[in-house]
Amino acid sequence: MAKAARQKEWWQPYSDMLSKNARTYIGLESAAESLRTYQPSSVPGLLQTTDYARAIITRAGPLTLGEDEIGRRLSLRTKRQAVIGEAGTLRLWTVLDEAALYREIGGPDVMHGQLMHLVEMAHHPQIDIQVMPFSAGPHASLSGMIGVFSFPGSDPDVAYVDSVSGTLFLERAADVQATSTAFQHLSATALSPAASVDLINAVARRHQTG
């Protein structure tokens, strides 16, 4: 984490609107070679469309945000996504809860566009997307979001979990291993990548017609 913090902070122009935890997360995201993450309630930021991100920012952010501030937050989100763009090197493996596909954010058209974007990104060679179906019942991370960053060379992994006080970053080997094991169980329980794309397509059609 310290090494990531010492790297060039390309997000410095946005630091006034970022918490310490957010700066740490973006630093790890920029330095990592892979990220395994479970997202229970919404699409991960790296996979969000602009319209979907705007809807989240305007509804979940401070009520006093003006268009300039919204634009800056959208710009930050877009620049973060460069890690999985054409020149990006991050290997992303995400498990989404099925609830995130149905939770209508921004209206039917925005959701349809977001879900079709997920289908497109699922074919990216550096990205794996799985869906945790409702039928799976209780699973390894009902409590919230988890993730594990891995880095080039001999740098140890860093895990994170949701907590009542915000995102908690974990560096102890035992904690990282426990989080990695939880993600392995999630992946084993979730639909396969191919079946996940089929489900996303089906839900997208419901948003389009509903």
Side-chain angles (χ1 to χ4, degrees):
M1 287 174 65
K3 183 181 289 186
R6 289 195 299 269
Q7 291 199 356
K8 183 180 179 181
E9 299 179 352
W10 61 262
W11 61 91
Q12 189 63 37
Y14 306 95
S15 60
D16 59 303
M17 62 185 187
L18 294 173
S19 66
K20 180 180 178 181
N21 271 358
R23 292 194 297 272
T24 299
Y25 186 93
I26 294 175
L28 294 170
E29 187 179 75
S30 300
E33 68 175 5
S34 73
L35 169 60
R36 292 164 285 162
T37 180
Y38 168 71
Q39 193 92 359
S41 59
S42 61
V43 174
L46 291 179
L47 297 174
Q48 291 177 5
T49 64
T50 300
D51 289 338
Y52 185 94
R54 174 181 284 273
I56 287 182
I57 290 168
T58 55
R59 293 297 298 272
L63 297 178
T64 56
L65 285 181
E67 278 301 315
D68 288 346
E69 188 71 2
I70 292 171
R72 291 181 68 218
R73 290 171 185 262
L74 288 173
S75 175
L76 173 62
R77 189 72 52 98
T78 300
K79 290 182 178 179
R80 280 179 53 204
Q81 293 174 349
V83 296
I84 58 169
E86 292 184 2
T89 59
L90 183 72
R91 172 76 173 167
L92 178 63
W93 184 358
T94 184
V95 177
L96 293 173
D97 197 279
E98 187 174 352
L101 308 182
Y102 284 94
R103 179 168 290 104
E104 193 167 286
I105 294 175
D109 290 341
V110 170
M111 281 305 302
H112 180 263
Q114 175 61 72
L115 296 179
M116 296 312 297
H117 180 66
L118 284 178
V119 170
E120 178 184 353
M121 297 304 289
H123 292 92
H124 191 292
Q126 292 281 105
I127 297 173
D128 287 306
I129 298 174
Q130 292 181 264
V131 175
M132 179 66 70
F134 293 137
S135 59
H139 56 73
S141 189
L142 283 174
S143 59
M145 180 175 63
I146 65 170
V148 180
F149 289 104
S150 297
F151 304 91
S154 59
D155 290 341
D157 292 353
V158 175
Y160 65 88
V161 298
D162 262 356
S163 70
V164 293
S165 58
T167 304
L168 180 64
F169 295 99
L170 308 171
E171 294 187 87
R172 281 201 322 150
D175 294 333
V176 173
Q177 182 58 50
T179 308
S180 295
T181 300
F183 184 84
Q184 290 171 4
H185 286 307
L186 286 166
S187 176
T189 306
L191 298 175
S192 69
S196 296
V197 167
D198 289 341
L199 177 58
I200 295 169
N201 268 318
V203 178
R205 288 193 292 271
R206 294 187 59 170
H207 282 292
Q208 189 176 34
T209 59

